[in-house]
Amino acid sequence: MCGIVAYIGQQEATPILTEGLKRLEYRGYDSAGLAVIRDGKLTIRRAVGRISALEERLDNEVQQAQVGIAHTRWATHGAPTEDNAHPHRDATGKLALVHNGIIENYRVLSQYLKTQGIELETDTDTEVLAKLVGHLYEGSLEDAVREALREVRGTFGIAAVHTDEPGVIVAARRGSPLIVGVGQDEFIIASDAAAIIQHTSQVIYLSDNEIAVVGDGGFRSTTLEAAPVSKEVEEIEWTLEQLELGGHQHFMIKEICEQPESIRNAMRGRLDLDASRIVLGGLANVTRELTRTKRIILTACGTAWHAGMIGEYLIEQIARIPCETEYASEFRYRNPIIDDGTTIIAISQSGETADTLAALREAREKGALAIGIVNSVGSTIARETDAGVYLHVGPEIGVASTKAFVGQVTVLSMIAAMLGRRRHMSHADCDTYLRALAQVPDLIERTLAVSDQTREIAQQYIERSNWLYLGRGIQYPVALEGALKLKEISYIHAEGLPAAEMKHGPIALINEGMPVVIITPRGHWYDKIINNVEQVRSRGGSVIAVATEGDKQIEKLADHVIFVPDLPEELQPLLTVIPLQLLAYHAAVLRGCDVDKPRNLAKSVTVE
Ligand code: G6P
């Protein structure tokens, strides 16, 4: 995600800022920038791409300053261009601001600024905040920031400077981390301790809704309501590597564990529970056309294809629109029939997968409406679609996709409900559905508690070289995804199947002790899948069931039961996949595999 570094003290700011940004590179970014004040003048330099591209632009103008703010941007609003990169300035050009997080009401705020005669130059939510703080400035940056933040809905970590007060940096946070490193007559503020640790291990952690002022007067902090807050200086004891991984052993487990937060971000500002409505700004221009579409083709590769299969089920069940999911690599060469009224939805974490892009182009060429569900803002697929929905789950570093998958399913759940509601879904049904969806981040949090149990199960079957994963209906793609996770990172052969198909062949594989993961949440397939559990047991297989909390029956039948909280059937995959991610992760660790960089695999496959 985005990163912030800010410095004020006796040393030269620019090298400290760029060095700090490099420490945050592991978080992923697509552009970078910095602003310094020297001799009462504010200078900003920004660049798309790597920090080295920014360094090439660091001329004399940004040298010898002793105060500055810097940022690495992971685009959320607006493409990763130089104009959209931070820092952003106010209308007077005297203030610069960097921001992490999402300002949900930025449209309303930008309307307000327009009425005040303030024009916006970029597509970002951050510029709105910079302009708003500048507009409210009357001689105190701290007061202007406070006043502006009171108007803001959403999340932020910010740092701001103003040429009229070159001796201070003002920082604030809500839902986005910010840490103040305390040195000898100097302060270094960062969104992540990794950028601070080489300077000092003495830090102050800002809390939500807190504003800090650092600089020549030392450190002080207040609440958004201006009440003073007293803070303790704490000692960081972690190494740099531990910090980057947030205390986890691998990026994959870090990303699994951050799913409650990433899914919260994927839904932020999009669920209007009061009006029982889904607000997907990226589809606004095509909503009418999409609602009337006669057929939807979902296309993707790998994990994203599994998300597409779940999307197919959701769109058919909830929106009642005929839907099919296609491997992009097959679809692109099939001379597909695209009639008037066909919509193609390309799903991709990276937005750069060559097969998905080619499938999208093929369908577009034939006249389909093209929608993207993409994580990487401004990526090729995002640019080549008519409209789309970003995942907003943050950069995914582990090669085996986890949080992007759950993000894709979350977005598809929202699209299905948006279309359903516009076609025939009742207000009451939509209300129930949205309220359940809003619970998902908390329920994922609860589900993550099965981690130790999945490790014990993995340990028990670690020598088995063949596993089966069975699911029915909407859980069938979850079974495929669970099997893929295990294959990808632990190199154990695993096969995912629609449970009823087992009797048509794969049942021959089952022998004494073979691990068979069966996804059996409550729902209208429950009784049928219980039959599959019995078929496996009677042939000596070991059943690892993923079931709904409180299910007593399954406890008697399965060798192991991993419980997940209850949810309406359509939303269950958002929870049932979590134990499967954990199971694969622990199996790979126990087998000593390189979890984040599995052999032969690439995170983004930009070749055919
Ligand atoms: C590669 C990755 C998979 C991923 C697939 C699609 O094969 O190893 O993890 O699911 O590409 O990637 P995309 O970026 O399009 O979602």
Side-chain angles (χ1 to χ4, degrees), residues 81 149 240 267 271 293 337 367 431 504 519 522 524 554 588:
T81 60
L149 292 182
L240 193 60
M267 295 197 288
L271 297 193
T293 196
I337 301 165
D431 185 65
H504 298 297
I519 310 164
R522 276 204 194 99
H524 75 269
I554 194 77

Side-chain angles (χ1 to χ4, degrees), residues 111 280 406 470 501 530 548 567 578:
Q111 288 301 328
L280 296 171
V406 179
L470 308 181
E501 275 298 299
I530 287 295
T548 307
L567 259 187
I578 308 285

Side-chain angles (χ1 to χ4, degrees), residues 300-305 347-353 356 381 399-401 408 484-485 488 601-605:
C301 304
T303 287
W305 181 75
I347 307 167
S348 173
Q349 188 286 127
S350 62
E352 303 294 348
T353 301
T356 310
I381 292 176
V399 167
S401 183
Q408 286 155 353
L484 179 66
K485 287 286 90 82
E488 280 181 310
L601 292 180
K603 182 73 189 152
S604 174
V605 184

Side-chain angles (χ1 to χ4, degrees), residues 5-22 33-38 43-45 51 54-71 188 199:
V5 187
Y7 175 81
I8 189 160
Q10 304 304 315
Q11 301 186 59
E12 189 172 345
T14 298
I16 294 176
L17 296 175
T18 49
E19 189 52 41
L21 291 184
K22 285 182 190 161
L34 59 78
V36 295
I37 297 177
R38 192 185 71 192
T43 308
I44 297 182
R45 294 288 178 266
I51 290 158
L54 174 66
E55 283 179 310
E56 283 168 21
R57 298 189 174 185
L58 299 179
D59 50 14
N60 286 338
E61 298 282 300
V62 293
Q63 310 304 333
Q64 261 124 50
Q66 291 172 331
V67 56
I69 57 177
H71 191 260
I188 178 158
H199 295 279

Side-chain angles (χ1 to χ4, degrees), residues 288-328:
R288 239 176 112 77
E289 201 180 336
L290 185 58
T291 309
R292 293 171 180 192
T293 196
K294 295 200 188 90
R295 170 177 167 234
I296 294 178
I297 300 169
L298 297 149
T299 193
C301 304
T303 287
W305 181 75
H306 297 151
M309 289 180 72
I310 296 174
E312 171 182 334
Y313 178 92
L314 290 169
I315 292 170
E316 286 200 350
Q317 292 301 310
I318 298 171
R320 307 302 295 156
I321 298 173
C323 200
E324 64 219 70
T325 313
E326 300 270 3
Y327 277 123

